[in-house]
Amino acid sequence: MDRRQFLKTSTAAVAAAGVGAAPWRAAQAQATPIKIGLLAPLTGVVASGGKEMVEGVQFYLDQVKNEMGGRKVELVIEDDASNPDTALQKARRLVEQGNCHMLIGNLLANTGLAVANYVKGTGTPYFIPIIAADDLTQRARIKNVIRVAGYTASAFTHPFGDWCLKQGYKKIATISQDYTFGHEQCGGLAQVFTEGGGQIVQQFWHPLNTADFSPYLGQLADLKVDAIFAMETGADSTRLIQQYASFGLKGKTPLLMAMNGTDQSVIRTMGPECEGIIAAAHFAEGSDVPTTAKFSKEYEAKYGKIPSLYGFSMYSGMMWIDAALKKVGGKVEDREVFIDTVLKTELDNSPLGKTVKFDDYGNPIYDVYIRKTVKRADGKFWNIPIETYPNVSQFWKYDPATYLKQPAYSRTFQGIKKT
């Protein structure tokens, strides 16, 4: 073979190899697992909720045999320790060292905001079924930070404020953990309640992991209000409910709570002190909706406990991600297409029993239940719906553009209408 023939043959061989390599590389990508980094507070004041977040994810993966979008899934779990600095450190480890295709999780708003700010620079898809900081789907939206099966903090307390007015309540006091989630939940209720003619008499803010609520309870008792709204998570919620009852307020002044206050991660270890508390949420584990009842029954059979909001949210979030992955054939490497597909995907088979879709700002639209904590026949407590607000927007009944001109709810802005 002369030199010219050799070069011609060699070039053809290389070209042929290149043609075959493209599908081979695609097949290889499909064969590698999808790596999902899960961030949850496995230590700290909300560790009970964090552990249930992990269970919710694992429950879904068990049902789909650890495969999503036609590819195996490798789950990497990190403890964010309920601390923003730790959450940021762990997120970096998962992305930069662990090469995770996506992140999911976090519970406290401050940890989620830290991770969201980080992935804003990396473009990593970050799914937040629980992080509820309003502005992540409002004034400071980040496209690759997506609320699959999530919610804004104030979305459920807007209708709760309306419900309070309908009960004839004129005066309410609030008590809350002093961080973003608390500020926003209180603000949602306060704005609607005061615009409807109600009065927020006083607001109390306390640090996370408060052991003794008696100084606050003493002041609340003296206010002679129609109801008290409490925004508490984890161990703080347990302590407040117990001390509320022992202080003699139970039975005298109705206790209203944010959805996490009467979550299963709190009330399953409690007795009659939690009975009768009213809270607003999109999920009520004691609902008789067939798909909800089925989910609750199967979860309880697997883990020996009634599902919490945290377990449900993470389970539904994984279900939503999987639905999008199926549409893109598992090609999670194409981030832009994957993210766009998630935002266009509707969740039509979740335990809620109703199709859920995103609004124009990337926030799910839900029916919101006003829930009551009641005792089951077996003596366990759970939440049942007593009233429903259908298709609730994160902007309630306000025009979005007008609503976004007001500041985000904070300790200094509660949306309270001045009289």
Side-chain angles (χ1 to χ4, degrees):
M1 182 184 299
D2 64 25
R3 178 177 172 79
R4 286 177 296 176
Q5 182 63 33
F6 173 79
L7 288 173
K8 183 177 179 181
T9 304
S10 298
T11 303
V14 170
V19 170
W24 179 82
R25 281 194 294 269
Q28 185 184 44
Q30 291 295 88
T32 59
I34 294 174
K35 294 190 71 172
I36 300 177
L38 169 58
L39 290 152
L42 303 178
T43 53
V45 67
V46 291
S48 58
K51 291 170 184 173
E52 308 215 13
M53 289 171 64
V54 174
E55 289 175 354
V57 170
Q58 291 177 328
F59 187 39
Y60 184 75
L61 288 176
D62 286 349
Q63 290 187 342
V64 297
K65 297 180 172 55
N66 238 53
E67 187 173 292
M68 294 169 62
R71 293 169 66 177
K72 288 296 181 182
V73 172
E74 181 181 335
L75 184 66
V76 186
I77 303 169
E78 290 282 3
D79 176 17
D80 69 24
S82 308
N83 181 286
D85 292 334
T86 304
L88 176 57
Q89 175 193 353
K90 297 297 182 67
R92 282 176 170 156
R93 178 186 299 175
L94 288 167
V95 172
E96 296 170 21
Q97 298 175 28
N99 298 314
C100 288
H101 294 103
M102 68 187 81
L103 301 177
I104 186 171
N106 294 109
L107 190 155
L108 294 177
N110 53 2
T111 60
L113 288 168
V115 176
N117 188 56
Y118 165 65
V119 299
K120 183 178 182 179
T122 67
T124 307
Y126 173 39
F127 298 104
I128 50 171
I130 294 168
I131 296 302
D134 283 7
D135 263 358
L136 286 176
T137 50
Q138 292 179 14
R139 300 163 192 83
R141 185 182 175 196
I142 302 168
K143 187 178 179 183
N144 56 304
V145 179
I146 307 174
R147 275 197 218 282
V148 288
Y151 40 82
T152 56
S154 60
F156 303 154
T157 52
H158 283 144
F160 206 9
D162 182 75
W163 182 86
C164 289
L165 290 166
K166 290 178 179 177
Q167 308 316 299
Y169 298 155
K170 302 294 185 184
K171 296 181 178 181
I172 287 177
T174 71
I175 179 169
S176 170
Q177 293 167 319
D178 192 6
Y179 77 113
T180 305
F181 190 45
H183 303 156
E184 292 180 341
Q185 291 226 28
C186 288
L189 182 139
Q191 180 163 1
V192 173
F193 186 67
T194 57
E195 287 179 350
Q199 180 185 358
I200 301 296
V201 177
Q202 193 166 341
Q203 295 188 291
F204 298 92
W205 309 101
H206 65 85
L208 285 166
N209 209 19
T210 293
D212 182 13
F213 284 92
S214 59
Y216 304 103
L217 295 172
Q219 294 179 75
L220 286 165
D222 291 340
L223 291 177
K224 296 180 173 55
V225 291
D226 299 319
I228 293 168
F229 174 74
M231 202 312 293
E232 308 292 342
T233 54
D236 280 350
S237 185
T238 301
R239 287 189 286 259
L240 181 124
I241 293 171
Q242 290 172 337
Q243 292 174 37
Y244 194 91
S246 62
F247 207 83
L249 282 170
K250 183 175 172 61
K252 292 183 180 178
T253 307
L255 180 58
L256 316 175
M257 297 197 79
M259 56 186 175
N260 37 290
T262 59
D263 183 62
Q264 278 297 321
S265 61
V266 173
I267 66 173
R268 70 165 59 97
T269 59
M270 303 187 76
E273 65 268 24
C274 72
E275 191 167 13
I277 298 174
I278 307 294
H282 63 312
F283 173 65
E285 69 274 18
S287 170
D288 58 6
V289 171
T291 48
T292 306
K294 180 176 181 289
F295 172 77
S296 291
K297 183 178 180 180
E298 290 177 350
Y299 192 101
E300 190 170 4
K302 182 174 181 65
Y303 293 109
K305 57 188 174 186
I306 305 169
S308 70
L309 176 71
Y310 304 113
F312 156 77
S313 296
M314 296 300 285
Y315 176 94
S316 300
M318 292 292 284
M319 178 181 283
W320 207 322
I321 294 166
D322 194 11
L325 282 170
K326 286 183 172 70
K327 290 183 178 181
V328 298
K331 296 175 183 176
V332 71
E333 288 81 6
D334 192 337
R335 288 178 173 177
E336 290 302 315
V337 172
F338 175 48
I339 290 167
D340 286 340
T341 302
V342 173
L343 291 169
K344 293 174 185 174
T345 298
E346 296 183 3
L347 186 63
D348 58 6
N349 57 347
S350 85
L352 291 175
K354 181 178 180 179
T355 298
V356 183
K357 62 181 180 180
F358 290 109
D359 65 12
D360 292 339
Y361 297 79
N363 194 74
I365 299 170
Y366 296 110
D367 288 355
V368 175
Y369 298 125
I370 306 300
R371 316 180 312 177
K372 184 176 184 179
T373 305
V374 302
K375 185 189 287 186
R376 298 197 314 189
D378 63 0
K380 296 178 181 179
F381 289 93
W382 65 0
N383 296 286
I384 63 166
I386 58 173
E387 190 169 331
T388 305
Y389 284 80
N391 300 316
V392 174
S393 163
Q394 64 175 325
F395 302 108
W396 181 229
K397 297 179 180 180
Y398 304 106
D399 169 66
T402 303
Y403 182 88
L404 291 173
K405 290 178 182 177
Q406 74 177 27
Y409 296 122
S410 65
R411 182 167 174 166
T412 54
F413 177 76
Q414 286 286 287
I416 294 173
K417 182 180 179 180
K418 305 298 182 184
T419 54

